[in-house]
Amino acid sequence: MFNGDIITKKVCVEGFTRLIFNKRVKNPVDISTLLMLIWYDTMLSHKGGSEIIQILTTFFRTFSSYSQDGLGMFEKTFENFLTLLVTLSESKEYEFNTDMLTYNLTEDFIVNTVGNIGSSLLTAKPDDRLDGPDGEVRLSPVQRYFLFLCEVSSEGDMGSRVFKKIFEKTVTVFPLDNLTPTTKGVLFRYTEHFLSQNSDSSQVFKNLEKKLRPEEETEDESQIEKVMKNLEEDRLQSRNEFRSFLKSLKEKDIIAKKTFNWYADEERKWNERKKRITADSDEDDDDLDVKAPATISRKPARKAKDDDSDEIKITSRSKGRKGGARTSNKTKGAKKRKAPSKTPANDDESESDKDSLEDSEQVRNMQ
């Protein structure tokens, strides 16, 4: 599905979409995650894969809105896809194999481009038939996605910053109407835990907590504890499945070890420094020019170095000339001091006065 020409990829993609739609695949979440990786390949359209993008766009939009099970599978797929992108963007050891996939894993791409998928997922109308057997409360895929973002944003690692920005975008469109007391109590506890781990959160999350806070203690605590326990078990199972999926990507060489690229590393550092400077002050434009990476200003730096060396040589030559002039004057003065031994006394006095005047003029010139 990742190797071969465009026609072979198109046949494989179309075949897998039909198998998933007809429930003929054992691991539909893993296969649909692979399809989503192809869907967002930045170079696919440039390689003649426009028809593949159209097929996958139709598949994901149709399957997610076809039924509640389809929306649930799409939600799990998107969680895996999002976790994979954030994991590789923060990894210093692994990256996508560029022979199979091309991704620019910037924060802007993950938050804005990929994060919009979650927003479109939230626009789906929740199904009222969410009660499990024996009256067991089942959360909708939209609510489970909300809890997923709330949890991963509270972990405190480097990737939680990206998840937090996506979470802030999805909160504004999250439906809070027609929530049961149990569901509202579960969402409130997760939000409360998130705020306890992120004291510097924006006002958006604080307003969310106020909306979810129960007005009266009417919810069943035992039912809430049961739902949260089931969520923890499901989350543990999902993480184990994701580890297995990540391992399979390494075995299939879809994910490979990074090859050090000095230019790309310098460019990445420069972009991070530029973002920090822009965040601190929008007026420090001069600092952006001064602190450019070595790769961008490599040739000018070498030219400046040559100019500096020439300037140093010129200065040394001028000092040599001055030093030589002083040496000749001192030598001339020394000869004049030896001359009086061969002349009369009155001549010696006038000659010594003349020498002293010349020496004093030399000292003033030196000063």
Side-chain angles (χ1 to χ4, degrees), residues 137-139 143 179-188 212 224:
V137 177
R138 293 177 55 190
L139 298 175
Q143 295 165 356
L179 296 177
T180 63
T182 302
T183 303
K184 192 173 182 179
V186 172
L187 297 179
F188 171 74
L212 294 175
I224 293 177

Side-chain angles (χ1 to χ4, degrees), residues 73-92:
M73 196 206 74
F74 182 82
E75 178 259 334
K76 292 180 180 179
T77 299
F78 183 69
E79 286 183 9
N80 278 357
F81 178 66
L82 190 60
T83 305
L84 178 62
L85 295 185
V86 175
T87 301
L88 290 182
S89 67
E90 301 294 341
S91 176
K92 297 181 180 179

Side-chain angles (χ1 to χ4, degrees), residues 27-140:
N27 297 320
V29 175
D30 292 350
I31 300 299
S32 58
T33 305
L34 294 176
L35 293 176
M36 193 171 286
L37 285 173
I38 298 175
W39 188 26
Y40 270 88
D41 187 353
T42 55
M43 294 299 296
L44 184 60
S45 60
H46 299 283
K47 298 178 181 179
S50 301
E51 294 185 7
I52 297 177
I53 297 176
Q54 293 177 0
I55 292 172
L56 291 174
T57 303
T58 304
F59 165 72
F60 283 117
R61 289 181 178 177
T62 305
F63 190 67
S64 60
S65 60
Y66 179 72
S67 64
Q68 192 71 12
D69 293 336
L71 182 60
M73 196 206 74
F74 182 82
E75 178 259 334
K76 292 180 180 179
T77 299
F78 183 69
E79 286 183 9
N80 278 357
F81 178 66
L82 190 60
T83 305
L84 178 62
L85 295 185
V86 175
T87 301
L88 290 182
S89 67
E90 301 294 341
S91 176
K92 297 181 180 179
E93 186 176 0
Y94 290 95
E95 63 182 354
F96 284 117
N97 189 343
T98 54
D99 295 333
M100 299 183 180
L101 293 170
T102 304
Y103 270 83
N104 186 16
L105 296 178
T106 60
E107 185 174 306
D108 180 72
F109 170 76
I110 298 175
V111 174
N112 296 322
T113 305
V114 180
N116 290 335
I117 303 177
S119 300
S120 63
L121 183 148
L122 291 173
T123 58
K125 295 182 180 180
D127 195 342
D128 295 333
R129 297 170 295 175
L130 295 174
D131 291 336
D134 300 330
E136 180 183 355
V137 177
R138 293 177 55 190
L139 298 175
S140 67

